[in-house]
Amino acid sequence: KFLNQTCPACGDELTTDMTVQQDGKILLFGITYCTINERDNYQLIRLHSDGRIDSSFGKNGIVQTDFDSTFDRGISVSVQTDFKIVCSGFVFNGPDWDFGLVRYLPDGNLDSGFGVGGKLTTAIGSGNDVAYAMAIQADGKIVVGGRTSTQMAMTRYNTNGTLDGTFGLGGIVTLALGTYS
């Protein structure tokens, strides 16, 4: 557990994924709870290869992102070849959950060339849409996997965060694979 250096009111933290950048720096991604706005937010921390916090990243090595929802659940992190950092998870939209993605520049600032101000959400079905995994293809397209309320789901995004219309139906694939017994 890390002492949160971004917000003194935040503190309940959970790392859900991690990766190592091409330069050896370590990224820890997950969830933090802020008692000021009473929300769960995405949290990304960057460490040097020796484990020290990289204070040149974000604010004292930490970046928090709020999707303006009560619960933002950060699940997966990956780094593109240009050192931009893509994080995925799911975001509560009021009645249910949607896939939520965010992209950061190498310094930890949101990438305004991705989605809307660096963030995007995708509703797949009419119920809960929860993203659990993410991969970046060699061509830079972003593939996110998870589920809807009743099916497996995948989305593929272009490098700017728009859904890739050449994948599935408008960038979305859902699969009903039978029932558990």
Side-chain angles (χ1 to χ4, degrees), residues 22 79-86 103-106 111 159:
Q22 302 93 313
V79 181
Q80 297 176 299
T81 57
D82 59 2
F83 283 85
K84 290 181 181 177
I85 303 160
V86 181
R103 186 166 70 189
Y104 304 100
L105 298 171
D111 181 356
T159 57

Side-chain angles (χ1 to χ4, degrees), residues 110-141:
L110 288 170
D111 181 356
S112 62
F114 183 80
V116 177
K119 302 183 284 187
L120 65 89
T121 59
T122 303
I124 297 169
S126 60
N128 291 319
D129 306 317
V130 181
Y132 289 115
M134 176 183 57
I136 299 176
Q137 296 180 176
D139 62 2
K141 292 184 179 183

Side-chain angles (χ1 to χ4, degrees), residues 14-128:
L14 172 66
T15 298
T16 56
D17 195 18
M18 61 179 286
T19 192
V20 178
Q21 293 183 167
Q22 302 93 313
D23 61 359
K25 292 183 179 180
I26 302 164
L27 294 167
L28 302 173
F29 180 61
I31 306 162
T32 187
Y33 178 74
C34 181
T35 58
I36 291 175
N37 64 13
E38 296 183 346
R39 299 172 187 232
D40 289 329
N41 297 319
Y42 283 17
Q43 179 167 268
L44 182 64
I45 300 169
R46 189 165 72 189
L47 307 173
H48 292 285
S49 60
D50 64 3
R52 291 178 297 117
I53 289 184
D54 180 1
S55 61
S56 70
F57 181 75
K59 183 176 180 184
N60 298 319
I62 301 171
V63 175
Q64 293 178 358
T65 302
D66 182 1
F67 278 83
D68 295 325
S69 79
T70 309
F71 302 105
D72 303 331
R73 303 296 174 147
I75 300 297
S76 186
V77 60
S78 192
V79 181
Q80 297 176 299
T81 57
D82 59 2
F83 283 85
K84 290 181 181 177
I85 303 160
V86 181
C87 299
S88 67
F90 45 103
V91 176
F92 191 66
N93 69 18
D96 56 41
W97 300 87
D98 293 333
F99 281 20
L101 276 75
V102 61
R103 186 166 70 189
Y104 304 100
L105 298 171
D107 64 1
N109 286 311
L110 288 170
D111 181 356
S112 62
F114 183 80
V116 177
K119 302 183 284 187
L120 65 89
T121 59
T122 303
I124 297 169
S126 60
N128 291 319

Side-chain angles (χ1 to χ4, degrees), residues 137 139 141 156-158 162-172:
Q137 296 180 176
D139 62 2
K141 292 184 179 183
R156 187 165 72 185
Y157 302 89
N158 296 307
T162 58
L163 284 167
D164 178 1
T166 68
F167 182 77
L169 184 59
I172 299 171

Side-chain angles (χ1 to χ4, degrees), residues 146-163:
R147 66 170 177 82
T148 68
S149 294
T150 59
Q151 300 176 316
M152 293 178 65
M154 291 180 63
T155 55
R156 187 165 72 185
Y157 302 89
N158 296 307
T159 57
N160 65 358
T162 58
L163 284 167

